[in-house]
Amino acid sequence: MALLKTLRSAQYPLVAEFTFSFNDTMVDINGATQDFGAGAIRSNIDLRAIPLPPNAVVVGGDLTVETAFVGPTAATLSIGDSGAATRYGSAIDLKTAARTSLPLTGFRGNGEDVQLRFNSTVAVATAGRATVRVQYIITGRANEAVIA
């Protein structure tokens, strides 16, 4: 049994953001170059977007669709990691300009990257832009001494 002492430190949350447009390209988790719907209809395209360190806990975040995706009948984005493709969001609509908060799961990772799963149907995209923001802390980290 450990003798615990009053906490005397605190840390700043870290924020990472990843912005993409319909005609941007990126290498997927299988090594193939993909776009976000401008070149072809896309199904289950998995992309590593934001690396997180071991012991990271997501404490906030959102997906903000700044310019709605135009063209496809449906365009969605799921946000997760290698352990769960929808840990932070499932099939979020990209065809409507809006902000969607990410659910807080309390999951403490082992260094899994935040991954995006992009899907579009019927037609290629001719417009669209969105940003994923992830706010996280790292368990055991301290930036400030806090004296009561």
Side-chain angles (χ1 to χ4, degrees):
M1 179 182 326
L3 173 62
L4 300 178
K5 296 182 180 183
T6 303
L7 182 68
R8 297 211 189 291
S9 63
Q11 69 171 284
Y12 307 121
L14 299 168
V15 180
E17 69 177 25
F18 179 82
T19 300
F20 61 94
S21 294
F22 74 103
N23 58 353
D24 289 336
T25 60
M26 187 173 188
V27 176
D28 68 16
I29 63 170
N30 298 313
T33 300
Q34 305 284 353
D35 62 57
F36 288 89
I41 298 166
R42 300 291 180 203
S43 179
N44 290 334
I45 303 302
D46 292 319
L47 307 158
R48 288 184 189 100
I50 300 172
L52 294 179
N55 294 318
V57 178
V58 174
V59 296
D62 62 78
L63 168 66
T64 302
V65 178
E66 299 151 15
T67 303
F69 278 62
V70 176
T73 302
T76 62
L77 189 74
S78 293
I79 304 169
D81 57 39
S82 59
T86 59
R87 189 181 309 279
Y88 304 113
S90 178
I92 302 167
D93 183 22
L94 295 173
K95 292 189 56 65
T96 303
R99 178 185 175 275
T100 303
S101 294
L102 302 184
L104 305 180
T105 65
F107 175 72
R108 181 182 305 166
N110 290 316
E112 297 88 350
D113 297 332
V114 172
Q115 292 183 185
L116 309 179
R117 176 170 284 173
F118 179 78
N119 285 290
S120 65
T121 60
V122 180
V124 299
T126 58
R129 178 180 167 91
T131 298
V132 176
R133 285 180 194 84
V134 176
Q135 183 178 27
Y136 63 96
I137 61 166
I138 302 168
T139 303
R141 179 175 181 240
N143 299 103
E144 296 284 335
V146 180
I147 306 300

